[in-house]
Amino acid sequence: MRRSIRAGLAALTLTALFASPALAAKPVVQALEVSGTFTIACRSVTLVEAYTRSVQVTRWLDGDGHVTRGHARVRFDGTITAPGSTLQVSDVGRFTSFIAFGPEGPTVREVGMLYEFSAPGLGLVAHDVGVLRFLPDGSVEVKGPHDVWDTGVESLICPLFE
């Protein structure tokens, strides 16, 4: 089950960017924007989410050009729909991912609003706000209300369309 696709994508983006060759011995800033769609499989219907994700990544480098730390500011705007349904669920995220390199490996900390699902007539459906911390040993520390992390996108969104 996809517990946090957005958190995983942000962590993957950070890892890929930080693995790239160093460009200079000072902070390097890159901006990326990606748009697309993906599906969410429910019991009786397959939902489609159209999204745009903007990421601004800043990397700090040591004198040898190795990345020592960095962060990515993420802005995610999506709309979830289902074939034949007039319901549209807004999916918004605004958070910052911080990466630090330690002796055991990288630690990624995501702070802010990872998810906010809302719909006309329903108001706020679910949200993830606070901190998710992905540790080098594979464990995750969770602080704040995290509806999506705790139960998954499918269990929160699918009942609205079925």
Side-chain angles (χ1 to χ4, degrees), residues 57-139:
V57 177
T58 303
R59 300 178 288 167
W60 281 265
L61 311 168
D62 64 15
D64 295 326
H66 298 106
V67 178
T68 59
R69 65 186 172 96
H71 68 259
R73 289 187 170 88
V74 180
R75 178 185 174 111
F76 185 95
D77 294 291
T79 302
I80 302 170
T81 58
S85 174
T86 58
L87 178 63
Q88 292 188 346
V89 175
S90 172
D91 178 6
V92 175
R94 306 285 186 270
F95 63 96
T96 302
S97 290
F98 299 90
I99 188 167
F101 296 92
E104 289 87 35
T107 297
V108 176
R109 181 174 48 99
E110 298 188 335
V111 180
M113 180 181 65
L114 273 73
Y115 290 92
E116 181 183 89
F117 294 113
S118 60
L122 298 175
L124 181 66
V125 174
H127 67 299
D128 272 29
V129 294
V131 179
L132 289 176
R133 190 167 171 222
F134 300 89
L135 302 171
D137 65 4
S139 63

Side-chain angles (χ1 to χ4, degrees), residues 3-20:
R3 292 188 58 101
S4 181
I5 192 168
R6 191 161 310 134
L9 287 173
L12 182 61
T13 300
L14 276 174
T15 303
L17 288 172
F18 288 102
S20 64

